[in-house]
Amino acid sequence: MAKSDSAQDRIRSIDDIQTTVDGDFHITERQEDFIEYIDDPYHSMMFDGRKMSDNLSYLSSFYPSAGLFSTGVVSGKIDNPTVNSKETVEKGMEVLNVDRVHADPTQNLYLGIVHHDDLAAALANAYNSWVIENIYDKDIGIYGPAVVAPQRPDKAAEEIDDRKNEDEIVSVFIPSGGTHPPLGNEKYWPIYEAAENAGLPVVFHNASGTQIGNFPLQFQGTNRYFSNHVPTHAMTHMMHITDMITRGVPVKFNELDFVVQEAGLGWIPYLMQRMDNEYAEKREDVPMLEQPPSEYINDQFYFTSQPIEGAKDPDYLNSIVRLLGPENLMFSSDYPHLDFDHSDELLRGLRSQFTSEEISNIYGGTAIKVFDF
Amino acid sequence: MIDKEEYEYVANVEDFEDDSRVLIDIKGREIGLFQTEDGYFAVGNYCVHQGGPMCEGKVSGAVTAGEDFELKYTKKGEVVSCPWHGWEFDIVTGEHLAHTDHRVPTYDVKVEDEKVYVRA
């Protein structure tokens, strides 16, 4: 815990950081933004004899809903900005005071529960075509993933191969919320293989509403957004990560990095300690592991910071960040979603306990290394 | 010749006819003595986890994984698992199979004239 920075090297604000990266910024695309980019046969199935502007009736959304109106309506107090163009992304970057963003989708967070496997793959392809043509732009720091549909790992691998040479594509995005079976399953390994070959990290991002699709059944018995949103992000990640470790995914794909988004912080050291604890007793269940589970987390998993819990309590925040490992943490905002963190939120807490180098890495250095942009 | 001042006579080879394990006590130190295909080995009977009597647990092999993660059964007769929480220890090295930075003490064993000696 060095505090040896000289006064002039000390980071007081994010202006003191050379390149600030937001590891989870959101485009707020809706199906109508990108659906015209979908390939045949789906394009003809939808638009032969119709125009985009026609009412598509029950085709108006292929993405299942958990009954949310919108985050703005749920809170009743705010309207989320629409982010569906370069200009609106730039506006968000100004609000956050960041230099680069890893721009993730919003409606396609629900892609993993689209009830048509081939269509899901086609939607991923359409979204990628739209976002590459209209939004990603390295000259203004807008980078992002190639989104893939976990329902069709073979198509996902093709998508990765087709997109990997785009300058702004820096990762592979699996919408992990509601994705079933969990992501350690061998059926997904073609995705990991293609990502590893392409040199791209795999990003996991849940949406709490996707719980209507799958794990865990008890959430179908909840009756408010609160009881759904509080536990689901971390729980779903814990399920996926534990399944991946159990099946040896990081052993098999030892050159592959994973980026786990939007579940806050405290659950990460908990999961690491719990897995190591269980590993001591149940090693025979995971005999392919060559080191304790937490070591795979240290070596190959990165976590984005938002939504930071406990920022008002520096003892909590600093302990948790130290326990999960500052080198595995990337700042993220989640802008413009309801619970976004402003860039200063994390920094305020960390300034007193972490070195300038550690803070610079959290705010950009680690993302630049992992996303290689 | 075994130095009898250094090594203590603790068991006879015939004691292992019914069970590959004999529990002994040297100067108040509980030790598990095991007969394997490769000879005799002794480890401390105190689990570094929570102090369980680890040498009283199941003696077995270990499940390991090959290159394609196919399961194998190896180290037959060379693993003892603490009866409290199942922590597995290598009888030969004293190492915990999962967290190899955890280990229990091992003791030198010698056999002469069907008698087993341990240095502890």
Side-chain angles (χ1 to χ4, degrees), chain A residues 79-96:
Chain A
D79 288 321
N80 285 159
T82 297
V83 180
N84 61 358
S85 63
K86 286 185 196 195
E87 294 71 31
T88 46
V89 171
E90 278 188 286
K91 199 174 162 197
M93 292 170 73
E94 282 170 26
V95 170
L96 299 162

Side-chain angles (χ1 to χ4, degrees), chain A residues 201-355:
Chain A
V202 175
V203 175
F204 299 126
H205 194 312
N206 305 319
S208 67
T210 56
Q211 300 308 328
I212 58 168
N214 281 304
F215 165 87
L217 195 60
Q218 281 156 315
F219 283 101
Q220 295 174 18
T222 62
N223 71 344
R224 290 291 188 277
Y225 188 52
F226 193 88
S227 47
N228 178 265
H229 190 258
V230 169
T232 49
H233 276 276
M235 285 180 74
T236 306
H237 280 322
M238 283 196 267
M239 191 70 204
H240 285 311
I241 292 172
T242 308
D243 190 51
M244 291 171 69
I245 298 275
T246 306
R247 293 173 189 259
V249 170
V251 183
K252 200 69 155 184
F253 303 97
N254 58 13
E255 297 294 317
L256 188 56
D257 289 330
F258 302 98
V259 179
V260 181
Q261 296 179 317
E262 194 168 346
L265 307 172
W267 64 279
I268 302 161
Y270 166 78
L271 179 67
M272 292 164 77
Q273 293 286 356
R274 181 161 172 84
M275 283 198 292
D276 280 4
N277 202 37
E278 299 263 328
Y279 180 54
E281 300 171 0
K282 303 178 180 67
R283 185 206 58 82
E284 288 202 338
D285 248 5
V286 285
M288 71 288 286
L289 299 189
E290 293 157 354
Q291 55 187 1
S294 67
E295 292 297 318
Y296 292 102
I297 302 285
N298 285 332
D299 292 346
Q300 287 174 258
F301 286 75
Y302 296 86
F303 300 87
T304 63
S305 58
Q306 173 276 343
I308 298 159
E309 78 281 1
K312 66 181 187 303
D313 180 352
D315 284 345
Y316 172 83
L317 183 64
N318 288 319
S319 306
I320 290 290
V321 172
R322 190 59 72 191
L323 287 170
L324 75 88
E327 59 283 357
N328 293 67
L329 182 63
M330 300 180 191
F331 160 72
S332 67
S333 74
D334 195 41
Y335 177 89
H337 290 172
L338 176 71
D339 51 353
F340 84 94
D341 286 333
H342 195 269
S343 325
D344 294 333
E345 182 77 351
L346 183 62
L347 180 61
R348 240 194 326 265
L350 299 186
R351 257 184 323 217
S352 63
Q353 295 285 324
F354 289 81
T355 64

Side-chain angles (χ1 to χ4, degrees), chain A residues 247 276 280-281 283-284 292, chain B residues 63 69 85 87-88 96 98-99:
Chain A
R247 293 173 189 259
D276 280 4
E281 300 171 0
R283 185 206 58 82
E284 288 202 338
Chain B
V63 176
F69 295 177
H85 301 97
W87 279 38
E88 304 163 288
H96 187 230
H99 298 288

